[in-house]
Amino acid sequence: LASIINSTGMVPALLPWDAPVVEVVEKADSFTVAEAVARLEEDFWQGRVQSSAAKRTWEGLTYQTSRMPPAATLTMDLMVATVSATEPGSRTRMESCKVLKRLAKVVGIEGTERLDALRTPYEPRERDIPSDELLAELLTKAEGHRWFWPTWALITYGCRPAETFSLIPNSDGTARVLSVKRKERLPEWRTALALPIPTYKETPERSVPWDVKSPAAYDSIKAKQQCDYWQRWIRTQHPTLFLYDIRHAWAVRSITKVPSTSLAAKCMGHTVSVHHNTYHRWL
């Protein structure tokens, strides 16, 4: 009371001890998209080794968050609008829902069930499998080109495109190759099996644009870059052909040539369940 009198020069009409108590509710922090992504980045790298594979994973996350203006205030309405702009049932929508839900949780924005409601089931589109004749034609065109040997190795052994840079054929129809799709871990060596197409049964001299000689030498970012170059060249030869179509062709060929599904799956570097789910149509 004395303080009020001293500052105003008068006695207040309402004495301080008679004034109603007003509960002050703190306003929740608001973040711009850029600030929220910075928090997400901090959360993502906490306790994680900054490997090339992890860096690629982070790039995938920022690809989804980049759909929103960095200076905009991050709200659930903005995230819902961003997801709604993607195609229902697409992989993009599935990833967008997943990443933005994680972003919302990091900065404490409620209402993530609205993102869950937009998350439609994703089914990869079934692709046409290239015939042995088409693959033979591709190899004929590739002879003498820097991508000839990796293309031959991909056709013959059915490994992942990025794995061909480490593949070393043996004389008994097998090959030593690194399994690169290992979450948070270094690649490990596995055995791949040759199922050559009739026209190319001989093993040409090994020639790779990037030679990966050990698990520690594998760089996921560089592998992606090399595969992008390779894919662009493939499309100049066959506009509708993808590198993974060639891997799928090996899997379909293995149905009649490999004694068991589990062996084929092991040679391809994935589990039997993944093998069945991916190739059930042909199996």
Side-chain angles (χ1 to χ4, degrees), residues 139 147-161 163-165 167-169 175 177 192-195 204 206-208 230 246-247 250 253:
L139 284 176
W147 292 114
F148 169 75
W149 195 89
T151 303
W152 171 86
L154 184 59
I155 291 171
T156 305
Y157 292 94
C159 50
R160 298 179 182 89
E163 294 173 346
T164 59
F165 307 123
L167 188 139
I168 301 174
V177 65
L193 182 65
L195 296 179
R206 185 175 186 271
S207 174
V208 288
W230 186 6
I246 300 174
R247 171 171 162 87
W250 187 96
R253 204 180 311 134

Side-chain angles (χ1 to χ4, degrees), residues 146-147 162 164-166 206-213 217-224 226:
R146 73 192 296 254
W147 292 114
T164 59
F165 307 123
S166 66
R206 185 175 186 271
S207 174
V208 288
W210 172 45
D211 195 358
V212 180
K213 296 181 178 179
Y218 180 74
D219 184 318
S220 178
I221 296 172
K222 187 169 183 178
K224 174 68 165 56
Q226 291 293 322

Side-chain angles (χ1 to χ4, degrees), residues 34-48:
E35 290 168 341
V37 171
R39 288 207 171 194
L40 177 64
E41 183 175 14
E42 183 181 349
D43 179 74
F44 177 83
W45 289 114
Q46 189 172 2
R48 190 189 299 255

Side-chain angles (χ1 to χ4, degrees), residues 160 247 262 264-272 274-275 278-279:
R160 298 179 182 89
R247 171 171 162 87
S262 60
K266 190 172 183 179
C267 290
M268 294 189 78
H270 55 215
T271 63
V272 175
V274 167
H275 196 83
T278 308
Y279 303 110

